[in-house]
Amino acid sequence: MDEPVPVTRAVDFGTAKLMPDVDRPRAWLLTLDGSPQSYVDLDAPEHLEFEYARRLGHVIDTAAEPGRPLDVLHLGGGALTLPRYVEATRPGSRQQVVEADRALLDLVAEHLPLSEGMTAELHTADARDFLEAAPGESADLVLADVFGGSHIPAHLTTLPYARQAARVLRPGGQYAANLADGTPFAFLRSQLATFGAVFAHLALVAEPSLLRGRRFGNAVLVASHREIDVAALSRRAAADPFAARVEDGAALRRFTGDAAPVEDETAVPSPAPPSGAFRVGG
């Protein structure tokens, strides 16, 4: 059998590279302009390599009883890691994936095809435009992992955007987003204030050292109109090889402090990571 070789291709928003994992026969890392975007193991789609992906996986796992199919809207596609995970752990789920980069989707479809029988619908669109056009109360989960380069676009950080996410969710549904920030956490606090103005319940899943301001990194925001199963989420996060803590309630309000919700007119992209923070060689 031929050894897998890296694939490099210009896509709509940069240069994508697929690199095989020497330790897992059919696993691949996707980078965009050198920054890691996705990791997929075609033989084990339930395997989540990145810390933030594992935490979004915990949200998926605790959103409903194990194995129950869900209607999931993915904002941001990459190599379709999380849609594959949902299909593996909740077969029969109805999934829609929104990815602005058509050429990237074509690259993934060519080299990392979906498993036979998987029925995710792929859409080339801006995430907010698609969200605004989506039917109300049509999703059990909205999962947002949208980065333009190393930044979360400004228009995906605001009160109108949060209200659209709330509109699309069914009662009891959850919104979860991969965010990135570091001390003094102006962006992360603003996102907590923004989604806290729309949703009754919030939780934040992050590594303790990140919350203590020791490094720049990813945190997963969870928002819902109904109470989040923080105990179940905490158990999974604490038992993970990349152990994390779940903050909610008064502790999260203290962390948010006096941060104000973000309006469209004042929105800015998420901060750029420090040089080399999320880059890989090659």
Side-chain angles (χ1 to χ4, degrees), residues 9 11-12 101-112 124:
R9 183 177 299 176
V11 292
D12 294 337
D101 195 322
R102 179 73 248 178
L104 179 61
L105 282 179
D106 291 342
L107 173 67
V108 170
E110 180 181 345
H111 292 278
L112 308 177
T124 304

Side-chain angles (χ1 to χ4, degrees), residues 120-140:
E121 296 181 30
L122 307 183
H123 306 273
T124 304
D126 174 81
R128 181 158 160 181
D129 289 347
F130 189 92
L131 192 66
E132 290 174 348
E137 297 189 4
S138 58
D140 301 304

Side-chain angles (χ1 to χ4, degrees), residues 10 33 60 80 99 124 126 144 200 275-276:
D33 292 336
I60 295 166
L80 309 178
E99 170 58 58
T124 304
D126 174 81
S275 179

